[in-house]
């Protein structure tokens, strides 16, 4: 039996060896399609390792694109008709979660989206404090200031702050008399030209003779009253200064005591706290429990507080705090006591406003308890109502009577808890078309504590404009020249969170195939505008992400890749209801193309004249070229850069967009037969904000060089969306 088994094993081994030799003898240069497993998508083994020369984007055999879906949303799946194998190309942009600071997400073959390394912003400079700012998609490097006095640390910038632990000492301070310190860091303590603090404590408080405006200074003052029951104060309390005013209520009826402090420097943050006492008491000024009123708006150079119903003979102490030492104008207003406004919230009785009759709104101590999408509202709000005898168009005008802020008006629904529209600027007024007869509610708040005038006016019902609603949106022609959009007669109907209160218009965009969409909005200089790409519902949840919408100064762009076929809405808005320009560029989706090194004129990558989506990284590149729009004082050739060649056979409109790049980019287009040519006029664009560099050029036939650079030495991974269209 053993011999029989041995013979069988020997026969099997011989057979296998024969097959192996026969297979080797039939060698061929053709690639074996079945030696590599299919790309199994998200369920694939993440530990699969292959030699470095293997093309990771290649999968199993195919004859058509439909056979190559790897179930990974961030890859471009197609059948390579030359190799007859699936190709699954990862696209990192499809993984972008719009959180810049948590790192640049990666699309991993067979796995899908994965987090990238967190942005640390570490510049290896011990004299800066580094932080990542999502709003600007950039790193911020502030001079180190340990004591928060506004003067950089002495070991970093010599001859400035001679005591990094004392916020009352620095080159930006005045010398205080008789304290034994070198307050101004000039090397001489208590020199003759010194300053005596005035009104620095409760015992030396400025005595207010009556209503009026008084000029005080926190120069040489200290932070004497750090304990407070107020909900907020200046940003860095440890480095703040405070002075005190003593206000005695005159004989007679109870009085309201208003204190309105405004720094003479718009960069100096201010807070006011009112504390009270009865006649013959001298202790409550120092007690935080004697609180009567508070006033503070984050970052504001003015603050307003009120002590209501102070009795005759009582004393109100006003503690005025400034972030920086400096002059402060303080307005004191004593007047007969009036109750706190009863129209405080949606649950209260609103104050009625007559049509065509202006009403004054005083924003002092109202609570912030009614939600609004107009996030510029930083004060509390008051609730008002008006009544229409018949259906009408309505405009609510609001303007500032006193103070440095703007009123914010919010039109509410019948329950008051829901918002129909809002406006956070005086011009244009809030406009609502065809309101029904009956009572309507609105609130008034402010970007700062102000006095405002509000006027409600009515007009005959007007016809709604076709593109004023997502339901009736007119079609827009893609890949056409920009169209003007007059928003002066539009409502702020869209509530997708992009530009609350901005008059808007909607356009219908139908996609027959999966597409890359680039929406471009242009707005008047210094105005805020927005563009967004949405599904037909036009709500916040309907935004096509990422990034859904873009808001800021001109130009604003939304770049959405691999957008499925279907019907969409393109929305443009302008904060002042002016005329905007809108264009929508559409092409069938294309995978990203890496430009490789492309680091110099030796072997530049050639951009196809048809355009595409390209990616690169300047981190390990060399600095080869200057850029005319770079920051001043840069070394020769500036930051690390890459350069690509572009040959246009005819005059064309060329759009270059770098949305999604990871750093402050420079996009510089040059022209000439040899690398790197000379800069094209007005074709160098710095992208140091969240939307990065952008150019929309009309170029003649010829040879061009597209330089991707970094502003002020910056570098990193970049995206370049290139569209070529007929010249206008």
């Amino acid at each position: 039996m053993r011999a029989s088994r041995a013979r069988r094993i020997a026969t099997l081994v011989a057979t296998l060896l024969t097959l192996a030799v026969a297979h080797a003898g039939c060698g061929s240069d053709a690639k074996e399609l079945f030696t590599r497993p299919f790309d199994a998508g998200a369920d694939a083994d993440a530990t699969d390792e292959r030699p470095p020369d293997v093309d990771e984007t290649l999968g199993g055999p195919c004859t058509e694109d439909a056979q190559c879906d790897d179930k990974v949303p961030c890859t471009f799946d197609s059948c390579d008709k030359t190799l007859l194998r699936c190709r699954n190309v990862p696209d990192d942009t499809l993984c972008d979660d719009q959180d810049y600071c948590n790192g640049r997400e990666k699309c991993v073959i067979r796995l899908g989206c994965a987090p990238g390394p967190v942005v640390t912003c570490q510049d290896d400079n011990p004299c800066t404090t580094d932080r990542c700012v999502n709003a600007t998609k950039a790193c911020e490097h502030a001079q180190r200031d340990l004591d928060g006095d506004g003067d950089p640390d002495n070991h970093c910038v010599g001859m400035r702050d001679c005591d990094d632990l004392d916020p009352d000492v620095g080159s930006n301070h005045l010398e205080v008399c008789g304290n034994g310190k070198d307050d101004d860091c000039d090397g001489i303590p208590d020199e003759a030209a010194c300053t005596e603090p005035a009104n620095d404590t409760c015992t030396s408080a400025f005595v207010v003779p009556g209503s009026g405006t008084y000029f005080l200074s926190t120069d040489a003052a200290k932070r004497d009253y750090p304990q407070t029951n107020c909900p907020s104060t200046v940003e860095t309390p440890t480095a703040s200064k405070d002075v005190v005013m003593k206000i005695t209520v005159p004989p007679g009826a109870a009085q309201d005591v208003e204190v309105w402090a405004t720094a003479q420097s718009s960069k100096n943050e201010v807070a006011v706290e009112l504390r009270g006492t009865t006649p013959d008491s001298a202790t409550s000024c120092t007690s935080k429990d004697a609180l009567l009123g508070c006033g503070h708006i984050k970052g504001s150079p003015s603050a307003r507080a009120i002590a209501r119903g102070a009795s005759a003979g009582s004393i109100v102490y006003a503690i005025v705090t400034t972030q920086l030492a400096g002059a402060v104008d303080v307005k004191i207003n004593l007047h007969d006591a009036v109750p706190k406004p009863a129209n405080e919230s949606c649950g209260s009785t609103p104050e009625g406003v007559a049509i065509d009759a202006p009403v004054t709104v005083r924003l002092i101590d109202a609570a912030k308890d009614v939600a609004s999408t107009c996030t510029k509202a930083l004060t509390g709000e008051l609730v008002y109502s008006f009544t229409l005898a018949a259906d009408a168009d309505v405009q609510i005008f609001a303007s500032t009577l006193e103070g440095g802020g703007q009123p914010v008006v919010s039109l509410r629904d019948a329950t008051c808890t829901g918002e129909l529209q809002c406006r956070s600027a005086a011009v244009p007024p809030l406009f609502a078309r065809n309101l029904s007869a009956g009572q309507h509610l609105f609130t008034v708040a402010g970007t700062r504590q102000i006095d405002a005038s509000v006027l409600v006016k009515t007009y005959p019902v007007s016809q709604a404009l076709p593109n004023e609603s997502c339901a009736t949106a007119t079609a827009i022609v893609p890949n056409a020249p920009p169209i003007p959009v007059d928003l002066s007669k539009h409502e702020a109907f869209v509530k997708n969170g992009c530009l609350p209160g901005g008059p808007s218009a909607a356009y219908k965009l139908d996609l027959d195939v999966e597409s890359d969409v680039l929406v471009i909005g242009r707005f008047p200089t210094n105005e805020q505008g927005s563009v967004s790409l949405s599904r037909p519902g036009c709500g916040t949840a309907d935004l096509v992400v990422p990034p859904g919408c873009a808001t800021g100064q001109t130009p604003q762009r939304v770049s959405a890749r691999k957008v499925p076929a279907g019907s969409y809405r393109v929305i443009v808005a302008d904060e002042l209801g002016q005329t905007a320009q809108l264009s929508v560029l559409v092409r069938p989706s294309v995978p990203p193309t890496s430009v490789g090194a492309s680091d110099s004129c030796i072997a530049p990558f050639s951009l196809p004249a048809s355009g595409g989506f390209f990616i690169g990284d300047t981190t390990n590149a060399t600095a080869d070229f200057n850029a005319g729009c770079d920051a001043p004082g840069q070394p020769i050739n500036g930051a690390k850069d890459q350069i690509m060649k572009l040959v246009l056979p005819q005059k064309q409109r060329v759009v270059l967009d770098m949305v999604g790049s990871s750093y402050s980019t420079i996009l510089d287009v040059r022209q000439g037969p040899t690398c790197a040519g000379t800069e094209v006029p007005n074709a160098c664009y710095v992208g140091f904000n969240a939307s990065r560099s952008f150019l929309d050029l009309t170029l003649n036939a010829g040879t061009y060089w597209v330089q991707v650079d970094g502003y002020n030495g910056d570098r990193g991974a970049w995206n370049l969306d290139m569209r070529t269209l007929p010249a206008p």
Side-chain angles (χ1 to χ4, degrees), residues 230-244:
C230 288
S232 64
T233 186
V234 295
E235 182 176 7
T236 311
T238 55
S240 64
K241 324 292 178 187
D242 54 44
V243 292
V244 184

Side-chain angles (χ1 to χ4, degrees), residues 29-98:
D29 292 334
K31 293 185 178 180
E32 172 58 64
L33 296 181
F34 298 93
T35 59
R36 189 182 190 280
F38 283 94
D39 182 348
D43 295 327
D45 183 1
T47 63
D48 183 31
E49 295 182 357
R50 294 177 175 82
D53 58 343
V54 171
D55 186 346
E56 291 290 326
T57 67
L58 285 177
C62 63
T63 57
E64 57 184 29
D65 291 345
Q67 297 172 320
C68 296
D69 185 1
D70 62 358
K71 309 303 180 185
V72 176
C74 62
T75 59
F76 280 81
D77 307 322
S78 63
C79 181
D80 189 317
K81 299 303 174 57
T82 301
L83 300 177
L84 293 180
R85 290 178 64 180
C86 288
R87 189 176 290 279
N88 308 108
V89 180
D91 184 354
D92 295 345
T93 67
L94 299 175
C95 295
D96 189 355
D97 65 358
Q98 297 304 295

Side-chain angles (χ1 to χ4, degrees), residues 399-453:
S399 59
T400 301
L401 296 175
E402 189 172 6
Q406 292 284 348
V408 180
V409 178
S410 172
L411 184 65
R412 316 300 298 185
D413 63 13
T415 68
C416 182
T417 57
E419 184 175 63
L420 302 178
Q421 291 189 42
C422 66
R423 283 293 299 153
S424 55
V427 178
L430 186 149
F431 171 56
R433 197 187 307 277
N434 195 15
L435 291 185
S436 60
Q439 185 187 66
H440 296 270
L441 304 174
F442 68 96
T443 62
V444 181
T447 58
R448 294 180 185 171
Q449 295 167 295
I450 59 173
D451 285 348
S453 176

Side-chain angles (χ1 to χ4, degrees), residues 54 67 289 348 395 442 456 587 633-634 649 689:
V54 171
Q67 297 172 320
D289 295 326
S348 62
Q395 286 188 322
F442 68 96
V456 179
R587 70 170 172 233
Q634 297 300 299
N689 53 22

Side-chain angles (χ1 to χ4, degrees), residues 640-658:
K640 297 180 178 182
D641 49 44
Q642 290 181 282
I643 196 161
M644 286 77 69
K645 183 179 181 180
L646 171 63
V647 178
L648 296 179
Q650 59 190 5
K651 184 177 182 178
Q652 286 182 287
R653 177 188 175 194
V654 179
V655 177
L656 301 164
D657 182 67
M658 298 193 73

Side-chain angles (χ1 to χ4, degrees), residues 163-177:
D163 189 339
D164 293 332
L165 300 178
D166 190 341
D168 294 322
V169 172
S171 64
N172 56 352
H173 289 64
L174 296 176
E175 187 69 26
V176 180
C177 299

Side-chain angles (χ1 to χ4, degrees), residues 513-597:
V513 297
E514 180 185 83
S515 302
D516 295 340
V517 180
L518 179 62
V519 181
I520 306 168
R522 293 178 174 84
F523 311 95
T525 305
N526 297 325
E527 287 186 20
Q528 294 284 305
S530 78
V531 288
S532 56
L533 181 64
S534 171
R535 297 174 188 85
C538 290
T540 303
D542 296 309
L543 289 171
V544 174
V545 292
C549 68
T551 301
Q553 295 189 0
T554 192
Q556 289 298 310
R557 295 100 64 203
V558 166
S559 176
R561 294 173 44 71
K562 287 192 73 176
V563 181
S567 186
Y568 297 87
R569 300 296 181 268
V570 175
I571 301 151
V572 59
D574 178 79
E575 65 171 343
L576 299 184
Q578 301 296 310
T579 298
Q581 284 190 335
L582 179 66
S583 57
V584 179
L585 307 183
V586 176
R587 70 170 172 233
S589 294
V590 296
T593 300
S594 173
V595 303

Side-chain angles (χ1 to χ4, degrees), residues 12-331:
L12 177 61
V13 169
T15 302
L16 291 174
L17 287 173
T18 302
L19 289 172
V21 171
H23 179 73
C26 296
S28 171
D29 292 334
K31 293 185 178 180
E32 172 58 64
L33 296 181
F34 298 93
T35 59
R36 189 182 190 280
F38 283 94
D39 182 348
D43 295 327
D45 183 1
T47 63
D48 183 31
E49 295 182 357
R50 294 177 175 82
D53 58 343
V54 171
D55 186 346
E56 291 290 326
T57 67
L58 285 177
C62 63
T63 57
E64 57 184 29
D65 291 345
Q67 297 172 320
C68 296
D69 185 1
D70 62 358
K71 309 303 180 185
V72 176
C74 62
T75 59
F76 280 81
D77 307 322
S78 63
C79 181
D80 189 317
K81 299 303 174 57
T82 301
L83 300 177
L84 293 180
R85 290 178 64 180
C86 288
R87 189 176 290 279
N88 308 108
V89 180
D91 184 354
D92 295 345
T93 67
L94 299 175
C95 295
D96 189 355
D97 65 358
Q98 297 304 295
D99 187 330
Y100 173 79
C101 295
N102 71 4
R104 187 178 175 93
E105 290 73 28
K106 300 287 291 182
C107 180
V108 182
I109 293 178
R110 297 180 305 281
L111 295 179
C113 293
V118 173
V119 179
T120 66
C121 291
Q122 177 57 253
D123 61 1
D124 297 323
N125 182 353
C127 289
T128 62
T129 55
D130 311 315
R131 72 184 185 110
C132 185
V133 183
N134 262 322
T136 58
K137 297 187 184 300
C139 290
E140 183 179 275
H141 308 284
Q143 286 186 314
R144 187 170 296 279
D145 180 14
L146 183 62
D147 54 12
D149 61 1
D151 221 6
D153 288 359
N154 190 61
H155 68 92
C156 295
V157 182
M159 307 302 292
R160 294 284 292 273
D161 194 341
C162 54
D163 189 339
D164 293 332
L165 300 178
D166 190 341
D168 294 322
V169 172
S171 64
N172 56 352
H173 289 64
L174 296 176
E175 187 69 26
V176 180
C177 299
N179 66 356
K181 290 183 178 181
D182 181 16
D183 306 280
D184 59 0
C185 293
D186 65 353
I188 307 174
D190 298 336
E191 65 260 36
C194 59
T195 302
E196 293 280 359
N199 319 122
D200 191 25
T201 64
C202 290
T203 56
S204 61
F206 178 86
V207 178
V208 177
S211 295
T213 300
Y214 303 93
F215 305 97
L216 278 68
S217 174
T218 56
D219 286 332
K222 295 181 179 179
R223 177 178 176 249
D224 298 294
Y225 304 103
Q227 301 300 318
T228 179
N229 282 330
C230 288
S232 64
T233 186
V234 295
E235 182 176 7
T236 311
T238 55
S240 64
K241 324 292 178 187
D242 54 44
V243 292
V244 184
M245 305 178 77
K246 181 180 180 180
I247 308 160
T248 302
V249 179
Q255 300 278 290
D256 285 348
V257 181
E258 281 188 51
V259 179
W260 199 337
T262 304
Q264 292 185 6
S265 169
S266 62
K267 297 180 180 180
N268 199 357
E269 188 177 3
V270 177
V272 172
E273 180 178 356
L274 303 184
R275 297 178 180 179
T277 180
T278 57
D280 303 324
S281 173
T283 59
S284 67
C285 174
T286 62
S287 172
K288 65 177 183 177
D289 295 326
L291 182 67
L292 297 176
C294 301
H296 172 251
I297 297 294
K298 182 179 179 180
S300 173
S302 66
R304 187 182 192 184
I306 187 170
R308 295 187 180 275
S311 59
S314 63
I315 299 173
V316 175
Y317 288 95
I319 301 174
V320 178
T321 301
T322 62
Q323 181 63 79
L324 306 173
V328 185
D329 301 338
V330 185
K331 179 182 177 181

